[in-house]
Amino acid sequence: DPPAVVYRYSPDRKGERPQSHLLTFAGILQADGYSGFAPLYAHGRVLEAACWAHARRKYYDVYATDRSPTAAEALRRIGLLYAIEREIRGQLPAARSTVRRTRSAPILAELRAWLRDSHATLSVKSPLAGAIQYTLVRWTALTRYVDDGSIEIDNNAAERAIRALVLGRRNY
């Protein structure tokens, strides 16, 4: 089926909410790293596709704070992935996955090795180490989009679709 955006209001952010909302769902769920989704992924009925925009934002925040050259390099490398996505936007899933396997996969392999090497030189308590750890822990979910052309690189489209609801919910 085509991708969908669903906004389901809950009065709080407890982990039981996504579990009840998605009780009968099976398929790919592209979302941020919210721990409340973890039980959904535990049995394989729901596959996690993580969001590169959320990972990227962590490097951007570090760069904006201290102009870290390592954060800048992470942003540059992630930017290469987004450049490929701009080129293949609107193409059929099979074509997108072919391009991603050919062009994105090598960039991702180099990025992963570089992140591991960079992480080894940092204090584990630094914000940059936290950004790298966030990325590496979610690596499988972040790279799932390469082999499945129906998955986006991020969930920005869904977040844009619900933005007005989220921003206005306190007023409602």
Side-chain angles (χ1 to χ4, degrees):
D1 292 334
V5 174
V6 175
Y7 181 79
R8 187 124 182 226
Y9 174 79
S10 298
D12 55 46
R13 200 160 150 79
K14 293 180 181 175
E16 63 198 44
R17 303 300 183 214
Q19 291 171 52
S20 65
H21 294 330
L22 299 170
L23 185 63
T24 61
F25 176 74
I28 298 163
L29 177 64
Q30 187 158 30
D32 61 13
Y34 172 52
S35 63
F37 292 126
L40 293 170
Y41 308 135
H43 302 291
R45 182 176 51 86
V46 178
L47 287 178
E48 178 183 15
C51 173
W52 270 105
H54 283 87
R56 182 192 178 282
R57 189 172 304 133
K58 295 188 177 300
Y59 297 103
Y60 178 82
D61 290 346
V62 171
Y63 181 76
T65 301
D66 65 12
R67 299 291 185 223
S68 160
T70 306
E73 179 61 15
L75 291 170
R76 185 192 71 78
R77 290 172 185 243
I78 295 168
L80 296 173
L81 299 170
Y82 274 90
I84 294 166
E85 291 303 303
R86 279 190 298 277
E87 291 176 27
I88 62 173
R89 185 169 290 124
Q91 293 185 19
L92 293 175
R96 288 169 28 133
S97 61
T98 299
V99 171
R100 289 169 175 171
R101 281 188 210 107
T102 304
R103 295 178 54 201
S104 300
I107 294 168
L108 287 161
E110 290 176 14
L111 175 60
R112 187 179 197 188
W114 178 80
L115 287 171
R116 286 177 170 164
D117 291 345
S118 298
H119 190 261
T121 67
L122 300 169
S123 164
V124 295
K125 294 184 180 183
S126 74
L128 183 56
I132 293 172
Q133 189 64 24
Y134 179 93
T135 305
L136 292 175
V137 164
R138 291 164 179 78
W139 192 259
T140 299
L142 282 167
T143 58
R144 184 162 276 132
Y145 82 101
V146 171
D147 292 317
D148 186 337
S150 67
I151 301 173
E152 298 295 333
I153 192 171
D154 59 37
N155 67 344
N156 282 347
E159 293 206 2
R160 279 191 302 274
I162 65 171
R163 183 176 170 84
L165 295 169
V166 173
L167 290 177
R169 80 176 149 208
R170 288 186 196 193
N171 295 333
Y172 302 146

